[in-house]
Every structure is written in C-alpha cells, then in structure tokens.
Amino acid sequence: MWLNDNKINETEIHTYRESLLRATPNYIVIDNLFNEEKLNEVLNLLQKKHHWQTQKHTYSALYVDNEQWQTTNIEERFVQREIWQREINEPDCADTSIAQNLLDFLRSKEFMAVLSRIFNVTITDINVATPDINTNFFRLGTKDFVKQHADDSPGREICMLLYLNKDWNINSGGELVFIGKDDKQVSIAPLYNRCVLFTPSSIGSEHWVTMLNSQASIEYRYNVVSWYWSE
C-alpha cells in the first residue's frame, strides 16, 4: 500500500546495494519509492497549523528547553526545527491517522525487511527501547537550521530521510549536504517523494542542511527522519 513495488524488485535491490558500496558516504537516493497518492494525503495534514512544536538540540545536550537554549553559545546550537506531535487534544484538529499510519509503516517488519535487503544487514527494533521516537515528521522554516553533525550512534545502521516538498524550487535552499571525502561534498535537493538512505558510520557521512532562502516563496521544508538499528 505504501511502497512502489517497481522500486523494490530484486534487480533494483541489487543496484541499490552496489551504489551504496561505491558512494562516499555510503548512500543512495531513491525517487518515487512511496505511493504518491498516499503521501499527498499525509502532506495535506502536515500543512495544517496544528501538531508542530519547536525542537532544539545543542552539541552537548539534546532536547534542551528555552532556558538552556538561551544560555548556550550560538556556535554550540546545531538544531532548531519543528517536530510533529503524534497526539494533540485540540478539538478542531484534523484526523491524524494517515500520518500516523506512515510512521507506523516505516517501523514495520515489512519496511525494515526492505532495508535489510538493501543494506545486507538485519534491521530490527528488538533492542530499541522506544522505537517511536526514532521516526517522525520535521519541518524547517527560514529561521531554522540543522548544522553539521553525525548520526553515528552505537549500533545505528541506517538513517532514512523522506522529503515531502511539492514543486520545490532549486533556489529555495534546504539541500542535504554530506561532508563527503577529499573536499567533495554531496548535495541533495529535498524533492517530493525522494528517499535518501545512508550508513551513518560511513566515511564522509557528517551532514547539514543549507538554510532556506528567505526570499523564496517556500514557507516550510518537510521531511521524515527515521533511524534504524541492527540486532
């Protein structure tokens, strides 16, 4: 229901695996991996004003509150963005089931089996204490930022980014940039239904997001972030 079957046959899986091994960092870009009609429903919900809450990280501490944020040196702040809240009690909120269904699918045995085939490693949540917090929607506005950082937590095998930005203008900023190797940075535009998968422990996988262009007509850059572990 969620996946485009034409993108996950044995021939494609083999191609993805070969591309991963050749690339620095080990990454692949898969366009149109998901059912676009279903993603359209998700995006319609995400574009509503509800469910969003500011999230801030520093290099020394994650999920800092406003008081901690204000006392942290600007150079130590590396994330300011909004995260989608799975549950909210406002009575006029739209039904969130379609968005929640996508998040649930991304942590399902079915999808993790696909990732296991691509990366040739067994992906599972069996040893993950709180799987839900490792898959969610995020958005960036023109004042938000994601500075250079690594996602290489112990045992983390895969990072997935799924972009939900229709009619994205290349002049809007918001590109994912890997540090790469030998000063050869890798820049990836956040196009609609574009999935980026990478090994966070691979060489050159440190990354950041370029700032949104305040002169562009884009209000927000939407994406899903999901992290996966091996046994």
Side-chain angles (χ1 to χ4, degrees), residues 134-162:
N134 293 290
T135 300
N136 214 330
F137 302 103
F138 295 90
R139 71 180 185 183
L140 289 174
T142 55
K143 295 182 180 179
D144 296 320
F145 53 85
V146 178
K147 296 181 180 178
Q148 185 173 328
H149 66 285
D151 282 341
D152 56 344
S153 296
R156 186 182 283 171
E157 297 283 353
I158 301 169
C159 181
M160 187 207 79
L161 301 164
L162 171 62

Side-chain angles (χ1 to χ4, degrees), residues 3-224:
L3 291 177
N4 178 354
D5 291 338
N6 293 329
K7 295 289 185 175
I8 53 172
N9 57 55
E10 287 303 321
T11 299
E12 294 291 348
I13 294 292
H14 177 75
T15 300
Y16 302 149
R17 194 178 296 160
E18 292 295 310
S19 296
L20 275 170
L21 296 175
R22 291 196 302 266
T24 302
N26 299 144
Y27 81 98
I28 52 172
V29 176
I30 308 175
D31 289 327
N32 304 311
L33 177 61
F34 291 86
N35 180 323
E36 188 160 322
E37 184 176 344
K38 303 290 286 183
L39 291 187
N40 290 342
E41 295 180 52
V42 173
L43 181 58
N44 287 337
L45 177 60
L46 297 183
Q47 289 175 329
K48 298 181 182 300
K49 65 180 180 179
H50 306 289
H51 285 266
W52 294 101
Q53 184 177 85
T54 301
Q55 180 189 73
K56 297 174 180 177
H57 298 321
T58 68
Y59 286 112
S60 58
L62 301 181
Y63 309 106
V64 300
D65 59 26
N66 286 332
E67 183 177 353
Q68 291 173 292
W69 186 256
Q70 294 303 323
T71 59
T72 301
N73 186 289
I74 292 176
E75 296 302 317
E76 289 299 308
R77 302 172 182 176
F78 86 88
V79 165
Q80 176 180 290
R81 61 186 173 185
E82 291 189 311
I83 182 172
W84 191 76
Q85 302 300 295
R86 293 167 182 263
E87 296 180 5
I88 194 166
N89 295 321
E90 295 182 28
D92 59 341
C93 281
D95 176 36
T96 62
S97 60
I98 185 67
Q100 185 61 58
N101 287 346
L102 174 56
L103 298 181
D104 291 342
F105 175 74
L106 295 175
R107 298 224 75 85
S108 68
K109 292 182 179 179
E110 177 186 351
F111 187 65
M112 286 196 283
V114 172
L115 296 179
S116 297
R117 289 164 61 198
I118 293 174
F119 284 79
N120 200 26
V121 63
T122 301
I123 299 301
T124 176
D125 277 340
I126 191 171
N127 294 316
V128 180
T130 52
D132 286 354
I133 69 169
N134 293 290
T135 300
N136 214 330
F137 302 103
F138 295 90
R139 71 180 185 183
L140 289 174
T142 55
K143 295 182 180 179
D144 296 320
F145 53 85
V146 178
K147 296 181 180 178
Q148 185 173 328
H149 66 285
D151 282 341
D152 56 344
S153 296
R156 186 182 283 171
E157 297 283 353
I158 301 169
C159 181
M160 187 207 79
L161 301 164
L162 171 62
Y163 296 110
L164 300 171
N165 305 295
K166 281 202 163 183
D167 304 319
W168 189 260
N169 187 316
I170 60 173
N171 296 316
S172 296
E175 292 92 355
L176 169 70
V177 183
F178 289 113
I179 193 170
K181 184 180 179 181
D182 299 329
D183 295 324
K184 295 180 181 178
Q185 296 178 356
V186 178
S187 182
I188 301 171
L191 305 183
Y192 195 65
N193 201 0
R194 167 167 286 180
C195 181
V196 179
L197 298 165
F198 68 93
T199 304
S201 61
S202 60
I203 295 172
S205 65
E206 289 191 32
H207 56 280
W208 62 93
V209 176
T210 62
M211 294 287 287
L212 293 186
N213 183 354
S214 60
Q215 303 302 312
S217 60
I218 302 299
E219 183 176 12
Y220 291 109
R221 171 192 185 273
Y222 295 92
N223 70 286
V224 182

